[in-house]
Amino acid sequence: MNTGFAETEKEFQSCVIDFAKLNGWLVSHARPARVTVKGRETYRTALQGDAGAPDLLLARGGKVILVELKSEKGKPSHMQTAWITACGNHGRLWRPSDWDDIFEELSGAECGPVAGTHAARG
Ligand SMILES: [Mg+2]
């Protein structure tokens, strides 16, 4: 999959979500909802806890990764960086130029069978 066209974070995010799902990952992303605040329409995400939580929660075969996505020029906020750091080996900061690594990690079979495919093998 070529992500050369993914110039915005939203486009890039769609590519990553689609590719992850194609490869059997469970994917969660909290989308902001359109709300009116003080008479003005805006987007807010209903979350409790610390700001800056990673964009994506991905899980497959016992492996969990939390991914902050950024466009090529986007910079993570202080709290986004804090989350990635706190996630240790499970935290990722991905940009479109990281696609080769993303492809390898999401398509790799190092973490066992895909959820729902635990068929007995004889
Ligand atoms: Mg992001």
Side-chain angles (χ1 to χ4, degrees), residues 2-4 13-14 25-27 29 31-32 35 37 47-48 60 62 71 76-77 87-88 91 102 104 119:
N2 181 355
T3 62
Q13 180 175 282
S14 292
W25 291 81
L26 296 177
V27 179
H29 168 66
R31 266 192 325 207
V35 296
V37 178
L47 294 173
Q48 186 172 10
R60 185 183 75 173
S71 66
S77 69
C87 289
I102 297 167
E104 187 174 327

Side-chain angles (χ1 to χ4, degrees), residues 9 13 53-55 67-71 80 93-94:
E9 184 177 322
Q13 180 175 282
D55 293 308
V67 184
E68 178 56 41
L69 300 168
K70 287 292 171 192
S71 66
Q80 288 171 331
L93 172 61
W94 285 345

Side-chain angles (χ1 to χ4, degrees), residues 3-118:
T3 62
F5 65 91
E7 294 183 11
T8 68
E9 184 177 322
K10 188 174 180 183
E11 292 169 336
F12 178 46
Q13 180 175 282
S14 292
C15 291
V16 172
I17 289 174
D18 288 350
F19 192 68
K21 291 178 81 64
L22 279 171
N23 283 278
W25 291 81
L26 296 177
V27 179
S28 178
H29 168 66
R31 266 192 325 207
R34 194 172 183 173
V35 296
T36 302
V37 178
K38 296 181 181 174
R40 209 174 133 240
E41 295 225 334
T42 185
Y43 287 87
R44 295 281 165 86
T45 304
L47 294 173
Q48 186 172 10
D50 294 299
D55 293 308
L56 302 178
L57 168 62
L58 304 175
R60 185 183 75 173
K63 181 174 181 177
V64 175
I65 55 176
L66 295 103
V67 184
E68 178 56 41
L69 300 168
K70 287 292 171 192
S71 66
E72 216 48 60
K73 294 180 181 174
K75 295 191 180 210
S77 69
H78 170 73
M79 284 307 295
Q80 288 171 331
T81 300
W83 268 98
I84 295 164
T85 301
C87 289
N89 290 338
H90 301 280
R92 305 285 185 277
L93 172 61
W94 285 345
R95 300 178 188 281
S97 60
D98 298 320
W99 186 254
D100 288 349
D101 292 336
I102 297 167
F103 182 95
E104 187 174 327
E105 180 155 24
L106 294 183
S107 64
E110 78 285 351
C111 49
V114 172
T117 62
H118 295 274

